[in-house]
Amino acid sequence: MREFENLDAFAAAAGEHLGYSEWLKVTQDRVNQFADATDDHQWIHVDEPMATAGPFGGTIAHGFLTLSLLSAFGPKIYKVNGIKMGINYGLNKVRFPQPVKVGSKVRAGAELVEVTDIPGGKQAVSKWTVEIDGEAKPACVAEWVTRFLA
């Protein structure tokens, strides 16, 4: 994990790749819990027998589940010291080039694209790529906007 002493040190890293998370196995239980939390019970995610006969040969994770894992991956990639809080400000662009088959392992890599001053802190735009172990295409590519308050 990369640790920054303060927001100025973090801002100085703009343009750099910050690192990778560890691999995380996507289980059917996790997919089912996400389906329950979001009321998205589409068969491709939760009906294993039907999905086995479907286009991917089994169930796949929701795209938004893959995206939501960025919250878990982020603190494993970097930490900014000396801040009061970090706030999820939004996303500029999100794409899901490859579905995540249940049982696959995923990890995220983060690149700090830009850091700008805002009242009371800094706003960062980072590019996140969620990779699938053994697959050429990523599961998710997203520009995440975060505000850090000092």
Side-chain angles (χ1 to χ4, degrees), residues 123-143:
Q123 178 171 293
V125 176
S126 50
K127 180 181 177 186
W128 292 76
T129 303
V130 179
E131 301 174 345
I132 307 167
D133 191 26
E135 295 288 342
K137 289 185 190 177
C140 178
V141 180
E143 279 189 3

Side-chain angles (χ1 to χ4, degrees), residues 2 10-18 110-115 125-126:
R2 191 158 172 193
F10 180 65
E16 296 179 19
H17 196 274
L18 301 178
E111 176 189 342
L112 186 56
V113 176
E114 69 178 14
V115 180
V125 176
S126 50

Side-chain angles (χ1 to χ4, degrees), residues 17 19-24 69-70 73-74 77 106-110 128-131 140:
H17 196 274
Y20 294 93
S21 70
E22 294 192 11
W23 292 102
L24 172 77
L69 290 173
L70 295 183
F73 291 141
I77 295 175
V106 295
R107 73 173 182 178
W128 292 76
T129 303
V130 179
E131 301 174 345
C140 178

Side-chain angles (χ1 to χ4, degrees), residues 75-91:
K76 296 174 182 167
I77 295 175
Y78 73 91
K79 176 183 179 184
V80 181
N81 293 319
I83 62 170
K84 289 181 185 174
M85 71 176 86
I87 299 170
N88 177 9
Y89 192 66
L91 299 156

Side-chain angles (χ1 to χ4, degrees), residues 45-130:
H45 305 302
V46 297
D47 188 332
E48 294 178 69
M50 189 171 180
T52 299
F56 305 109
T59 52
I60 60 170
H62 304 73
F64 286 134
L65 167 57
T66 304
L67 179 64
S68 73
L69 290 173
L70 295 183
S71 293
F73 291 141
K76 296 174 182 167
I77 295 175
Y78 73 91
K79 176 183 179 184
V80 181
N81 293 319
I83 62 170
K84 289 181 185 174
M85 71 176 86
I87 299 170
N88 177 9
Y89 192 66
L91 299 156
N92 288 338
K93 184 177 179 180
V94 178
R95 296 291 183 264
F96 303 107
Q98 176 82 16
V100 176
K101 295 177 184 177
V102 169
S104 298
K105 292 188 293 184
V106 295
R107 73 173 182 178
E111 176 189 342
L112 186 56
V113 176
E114 69 178 14
V115 180
T116 55
D117 291 328
I118 60 168
K122 297 196 183 289
Q123 178 171 293
V125 176
S126 50
K127 180 181 177 186
W128 292 76
T129 303
V130 179

